Amino acid sequence: MRTAVNVAVQKYYGKRLESSGDLQTGAASCGSSCRPAPRSVTEALSEVHPEVTKRFFGCGLPFPAKLEGCRVLDLGSGSGRDCYAFSKLVGPNGHVTGIDMTQELVITALQYVQYHQDKFGYKEPNVTFVQGYMENLNEAGIQSDSMDVIQLCYPDESLLTQRNEGGELYFSDMFASKIIPDHMKQDAVLWGDGRLSVLAQSNLIGPQRGFQLSTPRLSEPHCALHFVGDISYASGTYRLFKLPRSPAMSNATVTYKGTLAEFPDQLDFDSSHCFKKDVSVQVNGEMAAILQSSRFSSDFKIQMLDKQDYDINIVLSSQYCHLNPFLLADKLGSSVKQCSKTSK
């Protein structure tokens, strides 16, 4: 069921915006990544049709490693830029589904299915676009346990059952320094530019409880901070994994084999886990469970240690400061930008 916010955002994206330069606050783009994107990602993005890229209003580069053969769901797919880049990255044996509530953007995306199929040399298209609401994926025809990777949107409860065991929720978005006040929630421009759909970072942890989800892991912040009034925003990329129902939560020694072509020497898994080739490191039970059950299992040698009690639903405290995109962005040296078009 459409809400007033849905209608306002649909009009904003579908009627008012012709290109990303039309965004009213100039802040929906999340800034550049603090690390260079892998070559495969930059090449895939460069092959997306210019008209699709022109109407891209998304945030960051939500492209995790090792996607070949995966089934990817892109929430809020818009004109389809990320979907078409994913199309190349997953290859002819993978599949990408994009869902967006704005009819005009879905129509734009559908116009270029054949173009990208020919561009990538596929016998059959591997991209599907659906108009619908991410809050009700089943109604849009997207079944539970049907995806390997879900990208872009914060994981509310309606999304948590859509991934296979070992599947990943990988999302790049804006995070607010505090809860958005009610008087700002009626502003269609702020909604459309991503300033109200964000989550207060302090409330990021918790919804994974009871869904066999791993602790949210900050992959990296993007090098930009923005302000609207007295609220600051930092963009960042997080990843969560769906753990086995009864994971063997034992600490382990893991060794990266160097088998990922674009990461032959080391794999930066998240902000606190950098795995160098042939170097053994000890990880806690949750990380061991992630590596064992996810698509990365063949890239690591894993030796389980003595089992220790470890609560996968542990309530994170301030000691987990590596989860905070504001702190990590400051540590890495972010640029601070004032959102001049939104002073109130």
Side-chain angles (χ1 to χ4, degrees), residues 5 10 33 104 126 134-135 210 263 283 293 306 323 326 342:
V5 168
Q10 283 175 310
S33 171
E104 290 85 350
N126 67 344
M134 63 181 68
E135 297 87 354
F263 307 96
V283 298
S293 62
D306 292 337
L323 287 174
F326 298 93
T342 313

Side-chain angles (χ1 to χ4, degrees), residues 1-16 101-102 104 133 188 191:
M1 183 175 64
R2 294 199 307 173
T3 65
V5 168
N6 290 147
V7 173
V9 175
Q10 283 175 310
K11 288 182 179 179
Y12 185 65
Y13 280 124
K15 306 296 184 184
R16 293 180 59 179
M101 66 179 178
T102 305
E104 290 85 350
Y133 297 92
W191 269 111

Side-chain angles (χ1 to χ4, degrees), residues 29-38 41 56 58-65 67 81-82 86 149-155 168-175 199 201 204 215-225 233-241 268-273 295 321-326 328-329 332:
S29 59
C30 291
S32 59
S33 171
C34 292
R35 300 190 186 104
V41 173
F56 171 69
C59 177
L61 290 173
F63 296 94
L67 289 171
R81 188 203 75 160
D82 287 353
F86 276 119
V149 178
I150 299 179
Q151 77 97 350
L152 190 60
C153 182
Y154 178 70
E168 179 177 4
L169 181 62
Y170 192 94
F171 61 103
S172 181
D173 214 333
M174 300 296 296
F175 297 90
L199 180 77
Q201 190 276 332
L204 175 63
T215 300
R217 298 180 180 276
L218 179 60
S219 176
E220 61 177 300
H222 301 288
C223 297
L225 294 175
Y233 297 83
S235 57
T237 300
Y238 284 85
R239 65 194 322 177
L240 296 85
F241 290 84
D268 293 324
F269 199 83
D270 57 44
S271 62
S272 56
H273 291 90
R295 65 187 185 281
C321 60
H322 60 274
L323 287 174
N324 189 320
F326 298 93
L328 191 54
L332 296 179

Side-chain angles (χ1 to χ4, degrees), residues 17-199:
L17 301 184
E18 292 297 327
S19 72
S20 58
D22 296 330
L23 291 166
Q24 297 298 294
T25 68
S29 59
C30 291
S32 59
S33 171
C34 292
R35 300 190 186 104
R39 185 175 64 181
S40 62
V41 173
T42 57
E43 288 179 352
L45 288 169
S46 71
E47 295 188 49
V48 176
H49 194 284
E51 287 300 313
V52 173
T53 301
K54 175 184 175 182
R55 299 201 72 183
F56 171 69
F57 310 119
C59 177
L61 290 173
F63 296 94
K66 200 175 182 180
L67 289 171
E68 187 171 358
C70 286
R71 290 166 294 177
V72 176
L73 173 62
D74 182 8
L75 299 165
S77 53
S79 64
R81 188 203 75 160
D82 287 353
C83 284
Y84 286 124
F86 276 119
S87 172
K88 183 173 184 180
L89 295 171
V90 301
N93 296 322
H95 191 85
V96 181
T97 301
I99 181 170
D100 200 278
M101 66 179 178
T102 305
Q103 182 179 26
E104 290 85 350
L105 294 178
V106 174
I107 291 173
T108 296
L110 287 169
Q111 292 175 352
Y112 298 96
V113 172
Q114 186 67 50
Y115 171 88
H116 291 93
Q117 178 187 339
D118 296 340
K119 183 81 170 178
F120 302 147
Y122 297 159
K123 292 183 179 180
E124 301 289 339
N126 67 344
V127 178
T128 302
F129 292 100
V130 179
Q131 184 180 1
Y133 297 92
M134 63 181 68
E135 297 87 354
N136 196 340
L137 295 178
N138 289 332
E139 187 177 274
I142 299 170
Q143 302 303 313
S144 298
D145 297 322
S146 61
M147 297 293 165
D148 299 307
V149 178
I150 299 179
Q151 77 97 350
L152 190 60
C153 182
Y154 178 70
D156 64 30
E157 292 187 6
S158 65
L159 308 177
L160 300 182
T161 63
Q162 306 300 321
R163 291 166 305 128
N164 293 323
E165 185 175 291
E168 179 177 4
L169 181 62
Y170 192 94
F171 61 103
S172 181
D173 214 333
M174 300 296 296
F175 297 90
S177 58
K178 62 181 183 180
I179 300 296
I180 306 296
D182 289 340
H183 74 272
M184 293 176 64
K185 294 181 180 180
Q186 308 306 315
D187 192 315
V189 171
L190 292 180
W191 269 111
D193 280 12
R195 282 295 174 263
L196 297 183
S197 59
V198 297
L199 180 77

Side-chain angles (χ1 to χ4, degrees), residues 256-318:
Y256 175 52
K257 300 177 183 178
T259 46
L260 296 179
E262 290 191 293
F263 307 96
D265 300 317
Q266 71 177 42
L267 175 64
D268 293 324
F269 199 83
D270 57 44
S271 62
S272 56
H273 291 90
C274 175
F275 299 109
K276 295 184 178 180
K277 180 183 177 182
D278 296 331
V279 177
S280 297
V281 296
Q282 185 172 330
V283 298
N284 65 24
E286 184 182 78
M287 176 57 77
I290 289 172
L291 296 179
Q292 280 187 316
S293 62
S294 71
R295 65 187 185 281
F296 297 98
S297 59
S298 63
D299 301 300
F300 287 85
K301 298 176 183 177
I302 303 175
Q303 181 180 356
M304 305 305 292
L305 303 177
D306 292 337
K307 186 172 182 179
Q308 297 179 6
D309 292 334
Y310 184 82
D311 181 5
I312 65 173
N313 296 323
I314 186 171
V315 178
L316 302 181
S317 64
S318 59

